[in-house]
Structure formats: structure tokens, C-alpha cells
Amino acid sequence: MSTSAFAAPAILDVGVSTSQTNWVFNPPQQNPEVKFWMRVQRQGNLSRFGTFDYYFKVQVFRPDGTEVWNTTYGFSEEGYSEQVFSLPILFYERSADRAHPSFGTWRIRVAMTEKDSGNEVSAKEYLFNFSDGRNR
């Protein structure tokens, strides 16, 4: 039977640990850890081997739309997965040129993908604006 015949699993919760969307970059500074997470319904999402058929996918895009992070993570037995980034150091480290950081609005997108087919169930996108604090 084709896996595409099954309904997409239920996403119970998806979120980020901060409400801050504007970040001023002015090194040296503290870089707080920001957690992105997803919790999915366990029942109906397990393969016949007792493992999740889905991954937690995290993507990061620069203001020009180039992708600088695209990684998948497994879910725990409880259906939970997370990724932690230090902001704004992520912005600095993933800029195309650290001498001229990519200021502007970065996108962090979280989704759930089916392991075998790669089909994606989009969950949420977060926007973070990084500005230059050295010129204030």
C-alpha cells in the first residue's frame, strides 16, 4: 500500500522560546539560546517497527532567500523534537561574508517531513530582523 494514502499526522504543538523578533547585532554581546520545537501525535505516526515515520525539519534563509541551514531531526518516543540556535550569533556565522553581515529579515522555517517520500507538512515560519548596532 502506498504511504501517500495515509493522512498527515497531527501536529500538537509547534513554537519558539522567544517573542523577540528584532535583534541588534553589536559584538561582543550575549547570545541567548532560542529553542524551536515541534510535538506531534504519537498514535498513528509510528512505523511497523515502532519508530516515527516523520522527521522535524528546520531551515534557515538569509534576507536574499538563500538557504543556509536545512537539517532534519528525529522525534523522541513521546513525539517531541527541538533545535536550539544562539541568536544573533547564528545570523553572523551564517552570513555570506562576516565582514559585511547579511542584515535584514531572516526566516526560520520548521516543518514535518515523511521519511520515505520526503513529503512535507509545513508547520510554521518565524521572521527575525537583524540590524547593525555598531552604527547607532
Side-chain angles (χ1 to χ4, degrees):
M1 182 178 286
S2 169
T3 57
S4 61
F6 296 105
I11 297 173
L12 301 176
D13 187 26
V14 61
V16 63
S17 64
T18 184
S19 60
Q20 182 176 347
T21 57
N22 292 303
W23 297 79
V24 177
F25 182 71
N26 188 11
Q29 64 183 19
Q30 287 197 323
N31 295 287
E33 289 188 344
V34 177
K35 183 188 313 182
F36 297 83
W37 73 86
M38 183 180 291
R39 184 174 290 111
V40 296
Q41 178 180 322
R42 186 173 194 274
Q43 184 179 1
N45 294 336
L46 299 179
S47 71
R48 65 178 186 253
F49 305 109
T51 59
F52 275 97
D53 287 333
Y54 292 86
Y55 288 116
F56 176 51
K57 178 179 179 179
V58 180
Q59 296 171 283
V60 178
F61 300 91
R62 292 186 191 117
D64 66 3
T66 56
E67 183 180 68
V68 297
W69 189 278
N70 185 343
T71 306
T72 56
Y73 306 90
F75 286 98
S76 70
E77 288 185 21
E78 294 77 32
Y80 180 80
S81 189
E82 68 180 37
Q83 172 59 38
V84 177
F85 292 117
S86 293
L87 297 182
I89 199 66
L90 170 76
F91 138 81
Y92 175 71
E93 289 179 347
R94 296 296 173 162
S95 286
D97 178 1
R98 290 185 185 176
H100 302 93
S102 304
F103 293 108
T105 302
W106 287 57
R107 294 183 304 132
I108 298 180
R109 186 174 178 276
V110 297
M112 184 169 45
T113 60
E114 203 270 333
K115 286 182 181 180
D116 294 331
S117 70
N119 290 336
E120 187 172 287
V121 178
S122 184
K124 193 116 179 187
E125 186 172 281
Y126 301 94
L127 303 177
F128 295 95
N129 184 51
F130 294 100
S131 58
D132 190 351
R134 296 172 290 186
N135 296 331
R136 292 182 175 222

